[in-house]
Amino acid sequence: MTDPLTDAWPYLDVHQSRTHEPTPYEYKLAATLEEVFTKEGHEIADVVRGLNARQVHAADGTPWTEESFRAEITRLGA
Amino acid sequence: MTLSSSATADHVYATGLRNQWHPVVPSHFVAPGAMRRVTALGEQWLLFRRSDGVLSMLADRCPHRGAPLSLGKHLGDRVACWYHGVEVEGDGTVSSVPGLPGCGLEGKKLVASLPVREVAGAVLAYFGDEEHPEPPELTLPEPLTEDGVSAFLCYAEWDVPWRYAVENLLDPMHGAFLHHDSHTMFDGDTTAKFRIRETDRGYFFEKTDQRGVNFDWVELCRTGVDWVDLSIPYPPSAGPGGPFGIVGMVCPVDEGRSGVFFWRYRRVEDWQRSSWRFLYRTLIEKRHWEVLEQDRAMLEAMPADADQRENLYQHDLGVVRLRRLYRAAAAEQTGARRG
């Protein structure tokens, strides 16, 4: 029998879009992206330059390129 | 039978307009092979999903003795009432009465079954009365169907009459005050002049002297389902793509409760889309939630007679227009039935 109690009221869930709690790497990248967008600009070249200048690098520790950033953000933002 | 023709205009006004679509709950609330009890428009319903994903919405009432079908057993393509085992299919037909095989109930469609559609992660259902069982054409909000738009649904349940939740959306000026301490609505004038601009599907309520700074305009759209569209600027930290929009809908749960549906959307593609989606999940969704909680805190604290003892001014024209429209619709729906 399906449990009808799953309709407990009210449903108030802060996070409805996540599949997992972000990792420390994801939190750091997100916070740095916000800073870069604010201070450097909104072009992908600004993003790559800004992240590298802050030494917030790819998961393997290498500096970002436009290609590597594009691939990683596509994965993270799928 | 639900959606009784004896309903008064006051009842319809309090529990939601009939003969149109309304959102009910997010789609994921009913997993394949599961069922879920829901309240909508003041009545009890059962959402029932077969394992192949086909969704049905039935009155939560066994046609035999009125027991809730939601307490029963999911049999794959039908539900069996727990009380006496009466089996009901997704279209409301009684397929079996185990206690009395061959009973006259078998083969009859005795349970109300509402047309349902799933749209951008939400279940929409058509709530027609006896005289309007077939749904009218449903035109979906463009931001939820257009290419190049990326949306997230946020759903919440509030102890607020449904109309207060809609009125809140037709009241853009509250953004500059209630949401002044937020990540998106901190800017702009705290005085404004508004105008109503009629459209062929509803109306705009908009500032005449400011746009793109705060919550400066809203469009009410009545396209088979009632929804609003509005736009709020993002700070530069949110990256490229310009403002974010909200498509809002409200489920009238009962006289005192609402389910609110907000699709936050942005016109972004390629790496910009991915960046927004990543930032939304990681950081922005929580900030949006804090803004929504400001609305909930205010609306839930409103006294029950709030709309009976008001002194309205020019900023409330959008709300007044909305009330007139819904009052007239409620009267028409119930008057038409009496006639």
Side-chain angles (χ1 to χ4, degrees):
Chain A
M1 190 175 78
T2 303
D3 181 2
L5 298 179
T6 54
D7 65 355
W9 182 277
Y11 177 87
L12 293 171
D13 185 1
V14 178
H15 290 294
Q16 303 180 25
S17 68
R18 290 178 178 175
T19 54
H20 64 278
E21 170 72 21
T23 65
Y25 159 72
E26 288 167 346
Y27 272 124
K28 186 174 181 185
L29 180 60
T32 312
L33 263 180
E34 287 197 326
E35 185 184 313
V36 168
F37 282 140
T38 303
K39 294 186 177 169
E40 310 277 342
H42 284 172
E43 302 298 326
I44 194 165
D46 302 327
V47 173
V48 168
R49 187 183 67 251
L51 291 176
N52 287 335
R54 288 164 179 76
Q55 301 199 334
V56 176
H57 290 145
D60 63 2
T62 58
W64 296 103
T65 64
E66 288 193 14
E67 292 69 31
S68 69
F69 176 76
R70 202 180 276 271
E72 179 67 341
I73 203 69
T74 299
R75 182 183 75 82
L76 293 169
Chain B
M1 189 70 183
T2 59
L3 305 176
S4 162
S5 61
S6 65
T8 63
D10 283 346
H11 179 73
V12 168
Y13 192 58
T15 59
L17 296 180
R18 269 58 177 181
N19 305 332
Q20 67 176 64
W21 295 78
H22 292 281
V24 182
V25 287
S27 284
H28 70 84
F29 277 27
V30 202
M35 50 191 202
R36 185 186 179 96
R37 180 178 62 193
V38 297
T39 307
L41 280 77
E43 296 174 342
Q44 306 303 312
W45 305 93
L46 173 68
L47 284 171
F48 175 91
R49 194 189 291 281
R50 296 192 326 214
S51 57
D52 65 2
V54 173
L55 183 70
S56 307
M57 187 159 170
L58 295 166
D60 189 18
R61 187 180 172 93
C62 179
H64 170 218
R65 295 274 309 282
L69 291 172
S70 57
L71 289 177
K73 190 174 179 183
H74 194 303
L75 296 181
D77 60 352
R78 59 202 191 283
V79 57
C81 180
W82 189 19
Y83 203 7
H84 300 91
V86 172
E87 296 178 10
V88 179
E89 296 178 356
D91 70 352
T93 302
V94 175
S95 56
S96 172
V97 179
L100 186 64
C103 164
L105 299 182
E106 291 181 352
K108 287 191 178 145
K109 193 169 179 300
L110 297 173
V111 180
S113 171
L114 303 189
V116 290
R117 282 184 64 174
E118 295 188 75
V119 176
V123 174
L124 300 189
Y126 171 70
F127 294 78
D129 60 26
E130 294 102 322
E131 295 170 20
H132 304 86
E134 295 302 322
E137 186 181 353
L138 171 64
T139 303
L140 298 174
E142 306 89 51
L144 303 184
T145 58
E146 278 176 3
D147 289 340
V149 176
S150 173
F152 291 100
L153 170 60
C154 172
Y155 168 74
E157 294 172 340
W158 292 353
D159 290 324
V160 169
W162 70 276
R163 200 167 39 71
Y164 287 17
V166 186
E167 288 176 0
N168 185 55
L169 292 164
L170 268 297
D171 165 24
M173 203 59 199
H174 84 268
F177 293 92
L178 181 65
H179 303 310
H180 185 264
D181 295 324
S182 77
H183 65 124
T184 49
M185 284 181 268
F186 48 81
D187 208 358
D189 282 342
T190 50
T191 60
K193 286 189 174 162
F194 282 89
R195 69 175 170 194
I196 286 176
R197 181 156 54 92
E198 303 284 344
T199 69
D200 58 5
R201 61 183 187 179
Y203 63 93
F204 278 90
F205 187 59
E206 59 194 353
K207 291 177 189 167
T208 59
D209 43 7
Q210 176 180 297
R211 200 164 182 105
V213 181
N214 198 298
F215 173 13
D216 297 326
W217 61 270
V218 57
E219 182 186 5
L220 174 73
C221 306
R222 312 198 71 210
T223 62
V225 62
D226 284 6
W227 54 284
V228 300
D229 188 20
L230 58 91
S231 173
I232 295 174
Y234 263 140
S237 59
F244 79 101
I246 295 178
V247 167
M249 295 185 192
V250 177
C251 173
V253 171
D254 56 27
E255 292 194 10
R257 298 185 298 167
S258 303
V260 293
F261 294 71
F262 295 109
W263 287 267
R264 284 92 176 234
Y265 72 87
R266 210 170 186 201
R267 296 183 192 281
V268 272
E269 295 187 88
D270 192 40
W271 75 272
Q272 300 182 348
R273 175 183 186 276
S274 304
S275 295
W276 182 62
R277 294 185 70 81
F278 171 60
L279 286 179
Y280 181 91
R281 290 195 187 106
T282 311
L283 299 174
I284 297 173
E285 183 176 42
K286 181 168 182 287
R287 296 177 198 148
H288 281 333
W289 183 261
E290 288 163 2
V291 178
L292 204 56
E293 284 289 274
Q294 293 169 342
D295 289 301
R296 185 172 70 90
M298 180 55 67
L299 293 175
E300 290 191 346
M302 299 278 279
D305 65 348
D307 63 352
Q308 304 301 308
R309 297 164 62 183
E310 299 172 313
N311 293 284
L312 303 178
Y313 54 91
Q314 197 259 356
H315 294 174
D316 305 307
L317 288 176
V319 170
V320 171
R321 175 91 174 72
L322 185 80
R323 289 180 186 169
R324 277 193 200 136
L325 194 152
Y326 283 155
R327 270 279 180 213
E332 185 189 341
Q333 289 182 2
T334 49
R337 279 205 295 271
R338 277 195 297 274

